[in-house]
Amino acid sequence: MDRTAIARLAAAGVLVFSTLGVYAKDSGHPGTTPGEMRYKGAPIPEQMKSKDVITPGAPHLTEAEFAKAKKIYFERCAGCHGVLRKGATGKPLTPDITLGKGTDYLKVFIDFGSPAGMPNWGSSGQLTPDEVTLMAKYLQNDPPIPPEWGMKEMKASWKVLVPPEKRPKKKMNNYDLDNVFSVTLRDAGQVALIDGDTKKIINIIDTGYAVHISRYSTSGRYLFVVGRDAKVNLIDLWMKKPDNVAEIKIGMEARSVETSKYKGYEDKYAIAGAYWPPQYVIMKGDTLEPLKIVSTRGYTVDTQEYHPEPRVAAIVASHQHPEFIVNVKETGKVLMVDYEDLDNLKVTSIDAARYLHDGGWDSTHRYFMTAANKSNKICVIDSKEDKLTALVDVTKIPHPGRGANLKDPRYGPVWVTSALGNDHVTVIGTDPVKHKKNAWKVVRTLKGQGGGSLFVKTHPKSKNLWVDSPLNPDTKVSQSVAVFDVDHLDKGYEVLPIAEWAGLKGEGPKRVVQPEYNKAGDEVWFSVWSGKEQESAIVIVDDKTRKLKQVIKDKRLVTPTGKFNVYNTMHDIY
């Protein structure tokens, strides 16, 4: 069968298989779109000396071939399907499914993708023809079994670069730290600290690969970042030139980090959650010394089946109690982790829905709003009572980031999420006191530019709601941003050509991602995200006029994605 014929077969969606699973034409890929899969996974760590198994009846692979395929799978596929290939937002990829299909069959869909949600890994050039064949063979073998990562391994990776007693006793620079931005330089394994006042780069700091989030200690002194390779870095913003003062590796793959915020515990603890091994670790806030490791393996909330790989997704710090709120993705449980007494750890487990992902606070900082993107629901957790308040049905694949809080002129306080799977922007009532009939209900469904949205953003001082769509396949959509008038949401949106304003030279996807406000709430910063070898930029828009204000270009801004303003992140303003 030639490549043209294969492409037609894939386009027809006939019993589509992909590295995302096996499914029929009309079934769709539950929880994953082509846009979502454009994320690049973490590089496989050198420490990942897994137990490799050659499956009887599966195609033979040499040791070198198996090692290469394992690396590709970890980088491209494990984020959706799990290290053990048991399935998550993506379908299971175990030999009982893949062996019966055969190498030629599997190659078609790895190469060309499918309308149901499979990227065209081969025809897009991301995998060579030989790599496509290799992966088709590899998926018919049992998944390698990675090692655990416990206290011994964490302690071996832990480094205090500048001990607390040798750090500054007061702020040694003239920056307005409240208006500093931590910008993820995804493929460079770095973050850029940018002064929000001068728009100049303060420092480029080496971190883990593909930093997922930045979080600030309650005092505003320390910046915590976590890479997808599970490396956590602690950065002291009081130094004359802010830089790393400690680091640790808490697993093989990770997504989340947070610090203690409750009165009396400011700056005392940090917590990081791992994708592999499935666990979270509580550390000292000023050194990252690991204190307590807790596994998240357990039973799912719906079928009550044991899951060997329930990964830790979002983590937030409670404002109501000395607790961390931990989302456990595959089991669908929200854990309220009381850090008052680590030797007698108390954890309240709340059954929510699968698969838990991102989330943030309502405007009162009492209710945690979090997406269960497999179930197409928003789970509402009352952090004061430590109880599930509601499960709100929304459209396909909610992806809120931390969401956006605004005051709807008709429905009162609301929280907003966009979606990866469609063009809907969902508005949910959040006031059970003065607007009780609207609370925990979808009060509006706005129509955005298209699917592939990752973040929505507004600010208490703004009249705008910004919605990005960086993973939409249409470049006109992915390179622009939609903005709604908060007071007239029903009038639709205006499109701003952010990538065009950046004026980037040469080729590149130029995806516009993650609006972020400055401290004053009068500027919105956007990343224009191109490839590692291509030019990228930060575009700053005047929030009131919606006009271009400034473009930050620098050869050191390699693949900028997430941006986190110190003040807004510290105070959970979004």
Side-chain angles (χ1 to χ4, degrees), residues 40 56 148 158 187 219-220 283 301 305 373 383 443 452 472 505 546:
K40 182 179 179 183
E148 299 297 316
W158 173 48
D187 292 346
S219 68
M283 302 162 283
V301 297
E305 294 176 278
N373 53 25
S383 69
V443 296
N472 192 286
K505 299 176 182 178
R546 301 182 180 177

Side-chain angles (χ1 to χ4, degrees), residues 61 103 107 110 128-138:
L61 295 175
T103 301
K107 283 169 57 179
I110 298 173
T128 67
D130 287 345
E131 287 172 337
V132 169
T133 300
L134 175 65
M135 294 309 296
K137 293 179 178 179
Y138 173 77

Side-chain angles (χ1 to χ4, degrees), residues 169-221:
K169 305 303 180 186
K170 61 180 181 179
K171 188 164 78 79
M172 302 300 291
N173 57 63
N174 294 320
Y175 302 113
D176 176 6
L177 294 182
D178 279 354
N179 202 31
V180 167
F181 289 76
S182 172
V183 180
T184 297
L185 306 182
R186 183 184 173 81
D187 292 346
Q190 298 172 323
V191 295
L193 296 184
I194 301 180
D195 182 359
D197 296 334
T198 65
K199 315 301 190 287
K200 301 294 185 182
I201 294 175
I202 297 170
N203 198 12
I204 301 290
I205 300 174
D206 291 335
T207 61
Y209 174 80
V211 164
H212 195 238
I213 54 174
S214 298
R215 293 290 180 260
Y216 301 93
S217 65
T218 310
S219 68
R221 174 173 185 169

Side-chain angles (χ1 to χ4, degrees), residues 227-341:
R228 294 199 173 188
D229 56 359
K231 184 178 181 180
V232 179
N233 289 78
L234 177 65
I235 297 164
D236 187 353
L237 298 177
W238 279 14
M239 297 169 70
K240 186 174 182 180
K241 190 174 185 178
D243 210 337
N244 285 312
V245 293
E247 63 182 47
I248 190 172
K249 188 172 172 61
I250 59 99
M252 305 294 184
E253 187 181 3
R255 293 293 192 278
S256 51
V257 68
E258 182 61 289
T259 70
S260 53
K261 291 185 176 181
Y262 193 72
K263 186 176 181 179
Y265 293 89
E266 300 92 342
D267 293 22
K268 184 171 184 178
Y269 295 123
I271 183 174
Y275 267 26
W276 185 270
Q279 61 192 27
Y280 58 88
V281 57
I282 299 174
M283 302 162 283
K284 284 187 177 180
D286 61 350
T287 64
L288 301 182
E289 179 184 355
L291 302 173
K292 189 83 170 182
I293 305 170
V294 182
S295 173
T296 54
R297 291 181 171 99
Y299 292 82
T300 62
V301 297
D302 43 18
T303 58
Q304 298 287 294
E305 294 176 278
Y306 179 77
H307 200 292
E309 193 187 349
R311 300 170 291 177
V312 176
I315 301 177
V316 298
S318 174
H319 298 267
Q320 306 291 330
H321 303 289
E323 292 178 337
F324 292 119
I325 303 178
V326 178
N327 274 356
V328 185
K329 197 175 186 78
E330 280 75 13
T331 56
K333 295 180 180 180
V334 179
L335 307 181
M336 317 297 282
V337 180
D338 186 331
Y339 51 74
E340 288 179 290
D341 183 355

Side-chain angles (χ1 to χ4, degrees), residues 526-546:
F526 297 91
S527 296
V528 183
W529 167 26
S530 281
K532 187 174 183 179
E533 307 301 325
Q534 298 162 332
E535 189 178 29
S536 294
I538 304 292
V539 172
I540 302 171
V541 176
D542 185 293
D543 183 68
K544 186 175 181 179
T545 65
R546 301 182 180 177

Side-chain angles (χ1 to χ4, degrees), residues 540-573:
I540 302 171
V541 176
D542 185 293
D543 183 68
K544 186 175 181 179
T545 65
R546 301 182 180 177
K547 302 296 184 183
L548 174 64
K549 187 170 183 178
Q550 189 168 337
V551 177
I552 303 175
K553 290 184 181 179
D554 191 295
K555 63 181 181 180
R556 296 172 293 173
L557 290 179
V558 178
T559 57
T561 52
K563 299 164 300 304
F564 303 87
N565 173 267
V566 171
Y567 185 84
N568 294 333
T569 305
M570 279 173 56
H571 297 281
D572 290 315
I573 297 172

